[in-house]
Amino acid sequence: MRAFREAVEAGDLGAVEALLAEDVVFTSPVVFKPYEGKAITAAILGAVVKVFEDFRYVSELSSADGRDHALVFATRVGERALNGCDFIHLDENGLIDRLMVMVRPLSGAQAMGARFEQIAREAEARVASAS
């Protein structure tokens, strides 16, 4: 997970996208539906990077087989401090096929949620225009 962690912390969205499987599924309690596919997931991550401020990973856990990872992060949205975790699963090729982002506290997640609908619309529009 070092490559993903370093790419996210550096804001290298091209490197992040290269680590995503074509059929990756992005989920979060901030949104009510999963987003499926590499292009939409990369676009969402690109937009979220702009919303999160002072983002940094503070801890990492990995399963014995190396296919499941939890990257704990700290960040803020405006004045709200947030903590969260990226739960990542790797497919048989070592690419990310599941990415679930959990955020707390609820008030911070709500602040992110208020922005997420716009982020998702912009990401979907970018994906549609690239097709």
Side-chain angles (χ1 to χ4, degrees):
M1 245 345 48
R2 171 179 243 150
F4 179 81
R5 182 178 181 158
E6 289 175 355
V8 170
E9 290 177 329
D12 185 349
L13 298 175
V16 170
E17 185 171 0
L19 297 169
L20 300 175
E22 289 297 328
D23 61 348
V24 64
V25 177
F26 174 90
T27 57
S28 171
V30 173
V31 294
F32 295 106
K33 69 175 189 171
Y35 287 89
E36 299 179 23
K38 182 176 186 172
I40 188 69
T41 300
I44 288 169
L45 293 174
V48 169
V49 165
K50 295 175 185 171
V51 174
F52 283 167
E53 302 169 56
D54 302 325
F55 183 92
R56 66 202 175 284
Y57 286 112
V58 296
S59 182
E60 180 176 342
L61 304 167
S62 297
S63 65
D65 68 2
R67 292 186 66 185
D68 290 288
H69 304 271
L71 300 176
V72 180
F73 62 84
T75 190
R76 56 183 182 83
V77 175
E79 297 298 316
R80 296 178 191 267
L82 303 176
N83 297 102
C85 190
D86 292 338
F87 292 96
I88 298 168
H89 181 266
L90 303 178
D91 67 12
E92 60 280 351
N93 298 313
L95 296 174
I96 298 168
D97 63 355
R98 290 194 312 262
L99 173 58
M100 178 173 55
V101 180
M102 303 294 285
V103 180
R104 66 155 303 280
L106 181 58
S107 62
Q110 289 168 333
M112 183 62 192
R115 297 179 186 193
F116 198 87
E117 287 304 315
Q118 181 64 31
I119 290 169
R121 281 193 297 277
E122 290 172 6
E124 288 172 340
R126 271 189 267 154
V127 169
S129 68
S131 301

